[in-house]
Amino acid sequence: MDRYSRQQLFAPIGERGQQSIREKHVLLIGAGALGAANAETLVRAGIGKITIVDRDYVEWSNLQRQQLYTEEDAAKRLPKAIAASVHLRAINSDVVVEPIVADADARLIEHIVGRHRPDVIIDSTDNFDVRMIINDVSQKYDVPWIYGACVGSYGLSYVVIPNETPCLRCLLEDVPFGVATCDTAGIISPVVHMVVAHQTAEALKICVHAQVNRKLVSFDTWHGQYHMIDVHKLKKDDCPSCGPKRTYPALQYENETKFAVLCGRETVQIRPAHRGEREWTTLLSFLTKRGIQVEQNDYLFSFTVNSHRFVVFSDGRVLIHGTNDVQEAKRLYYQYLG
Amino acid sequence: MRCIINGEMIDLPAHIRTVAQLLQHFRIHEKIAIVEVNANIIMKEKYEHTAIADGDRIEIVHFVGGG
Ligand SMILES: [Zn+2]
């Protein structure tokens, strides 16, 4: 087939590798900037099947970097998973594209992975709650996953192979909390593509059964930095996700970040899973720069963005006033509070 | 003291002598950072006791969540 001729000419893939790619199933969690670019690259490469999970819809502010989407998608507020699948099928009709418009919570991810056993999970989410769930599901069902994230002009990527490499929880003793997000620190498209270049290269290697890069890769596309770290020493014997006495903490209900509508108050309360130290410097300086007033006392701080009032308590609890919609509250929460 | 941090030569205030102090200086939360000094990865529990010296090549990788 002429379609994949250039990819087959590349010796590490070859005709056999191309056949192998055709038989693989990728699960993509998130269809934002990373998700759209990952999906397009893998669909063009001729992956067998791609399942795309996303809870969000296309907005105008996405078009600057979320390469699959058009103005029409934004005008119609199409769910990203749906808009992506329409464009992806037009790009390559050989590929089975399965969109799932839903929140990627522990139950859903475990259901998909347990039932369909994808060959690799690609992380294109915007928060660590979901990444920790992916990390646990990956270990439980022995499916590799590829971490990717970026903010500003900085990005990083890392492949987790169960029983071989340290898992994400081995590398992170705590969930980064209140760290910079794309909605507070901004993001430029080049770093998205650099992260995706790493993720898709590793995904293709997994598809053709080649050796993956076991190093943690990080880079800054604006300041011209690039670095790889060998992290194998960080594998922990007592890791609750990948150690012998594992408990898969992210899959336990009591460890989920919980969103609850407070009846009659047009308010959603969020109780975060992790009570780690919170660092709000980026958020506070973002709010100050935009001229948004922050009110603060010893117990909480609050601010209003686009008619939604956020109240952040020192114990980590957050109230978002002005909505009864848990999905909307989730979006706002991860947008501003990371 | 001058160290090469993430590829750039940086002058550090004199009071910074350990990896833990260095992270504090850059306001990076210890638990979410991975640090390499002269190509050796430093275990998190040793940040406080790992001294840094003039001319060290230090890489600090911090995790972000965006995407
Ligand atoms: Zn682990």
Side-chain angles (χ1 to χ4, degrees):
Chain A
M1 266 222 294
D2 197 42
R3 176 165 199 146
Y4 305 113
S5 59
R6 302 304 187 274
Q7 190 164 284
Q8 281 171 206
L9 272 174
F10 180 64
I13 292 181
E15 262 178 62
R16 276 182 58 193
Q18 190 59 42
Q19 190 50 42
S20 183
I21 292 170
R22 287 291 300 144
E23 291 158 5
K24 297 296 185 286
H25 176 198
V26 172
L27 170 60
L28 187 64
I29 308 290
L34 291 174
N38 264 300
E40 181 170 343
T41 301
L42 293 172
V43 162
R44 286 189 189 277
I47 198 85
K49 179 180 174 182
I50 185 165
T51 301
I52 304 170
V53 184
D54 195 280
R55 63 164 184 270
D56 222 348
Y57 58 87
V58 182
E59 291 179 279
W60 290 93
S61 68
N62 300 151
L63 300 181
Q64 160 252 359
R65 67 192 182 286
Q66 305 191 8
Q67 68 178 53
L68 273 179
Y69 308 121
T70 62
E71 293 185 351
E72 199 184 336
D73 298 330
K76 287 186 180 162
R77 294 182 155 212
L78 280 182
K80 287 183 183 175
I82 300 297
S85 67
V86 170
H87 298 304
L88 292 168
R89 286 176 190 137
I91 287 169
N92 190 344
S93 55
D94 290 345
V95 177
V96 178
V97 183
E98 179 187 39
I100 299 178
V101 183
D103 187 40
D105 61 10
R107 226 156 307 155
L108 179 68
I109 299 177
E110 195 170 354
H111 173 79
I112 299 170
V113 174
R115 192 162 190 171
H116 300 286
R117 303 287 169 138
D119 297 282
V120 57
I121 307 168
I122 298 186
D123 158 36
S124 305
T125 66
D126 59 1
N127 68 82
F128 275 98
D129 286 339
V130 178
R131 289 193 176 95
M132 286 306 181
I133 294 169
I134 296 173
N135 188 61
D136 277 2
V137 169
S138 145
Q139 294 295 329
K140 188 167 173 182
Y141 295 95
D142 195 13
V143 175
W145 75 281
I146 307 172
Y147 163 70
C150 44
V151 158
S153 57
Y154 173 79
L156 60 172
S157 180
Y158 175 67
V159 186
V160 178
I161 307 279
N163 307 315
E164 291 183 29
T165 67
C167 78
L168 188 65
R169 201 181 289 277
C170 291
L171 305 191
L172 276 173
E173 282 186 0
D174 204 350
V175 174
F177 220 0
V179 291
T181 72
C182 300
D183 293 274
T184 55
I187 174 121
I188 54 167
S189 185
V191 73
V192 171
H193 294 287
M194 192 136 164
V195 172
V196 170
H198 284 84
Q199 288 184 295
T200 49
E202 298 307 326
L204 289 175
K205 287 193 218 168
I206 290 171
C207 288
V208 303
H209 311 286
Q211 177 78 273
V212 302
N213 176 16
R214 285 154 189 257
K215 291 178 177 163
L216 172 68
V217 189
S218 62
F219 35 80
D220 190 309
T221 50
W222 196 267
H223 300 102
Q225 295 167 350
Y226 185 93
H227 193 67
M228 288 204 267
I229 290 190
D230 182 348
V231 290
H232 79 272
K233 265 170 71 181
L234 298 180
K235 187 159 175 74
K236 286 200 182 124
D237 294 333
D238 59 352
C239 175
S241 294
C242 73
K245 288 184 183 162
R246 54 182 75 183
T247 55
Y248 305 124
L251 304 183
Q252 318 290 329
Y253 174 76
E254 61 271 21
N255 293 331
E256 268 178 34
T257 292
K258 293 182 190 66
F259 292 75
V261 178
L262 302 185
C263 288
R265 291 184 55 192
E266 237 199 294
T267 297
V268 174
Q269 172 177 266
I270 298 108
R271 280 191 298 129
H274 305 276
R275 306 251 162 151
E277 262 173 64
R278 307 191 79 163
E279 173 66 68
W280 297 117
T281 327
T282 318
L283 175 65
L284 293 172
S285 82
F286 162 78
L287 294 170
T288 314
K289 257 185 247 156
R290 300 239 326 224
I292 296 167
Q293 209 187 337
V294 180
E295 284 156 41
Q296 208 160 357
N297 64 30
D298 289 348
Y299 313 100
L300 56 87
F301 68 90
S302 66
F303 59 93
T304 303
V305 187
N306 301 334
S307 80
H308 292 103
R309 182 147 198 86
F310 291 68
V311 182
V312 184
F313 293 85
S314 51
D315 70 351
R317 207 158 44 84
V318 175
L319 296 179
I320 301 179
H321 300 293
T323 180
N324 273 326
D325 180 353
V326 168
Q327 292 310 320
E328 185 182 31
K330 270 193 183 183
R331 198 161 53 82
L332 292 165
Y333 177 76
Y334 290 119
Q335 262 182 325
Y336 292 102
L337 305 177
Chain B
M1 180 164 61
R2 304 185 88 189
C3 293
I4 300 165
I5 298 174
N6 292 356
E8 246 173 274
M9 182 69 88
I10 290 180
D11 277 308
L12 293 169
H15 70 271
I16 295 172
R17 292 166 190 284
T18 66
V19 169
Q21 288 165 346
L22 183 71
L23 290 175
Q24 220 161 33
H25 177 68
F26 289 113
R27 309 185 68 169
I28 293 171
H29 184 20
E30 283 188 12
K31 290 178 176 172
I32 64 165
I34 291 179
V35 181
E36 222 182 38
V37 178
N38 300 325
N40 287 313
I41 201 160
I42 311 294
M43 307 304 278
K44 291 191 204 318
E45 57 272 19
K46 291 188 178 149
Y47 285 173
E48 263 180 73
H49 306 291
T50 304
I52 51 176
D54 202 53
D56 276 351
R57 230 172 208 291
I58 302 167
E59 295 288 339
I60 304 173
V61 174
H62 65 281
F63 284 84
V64 295

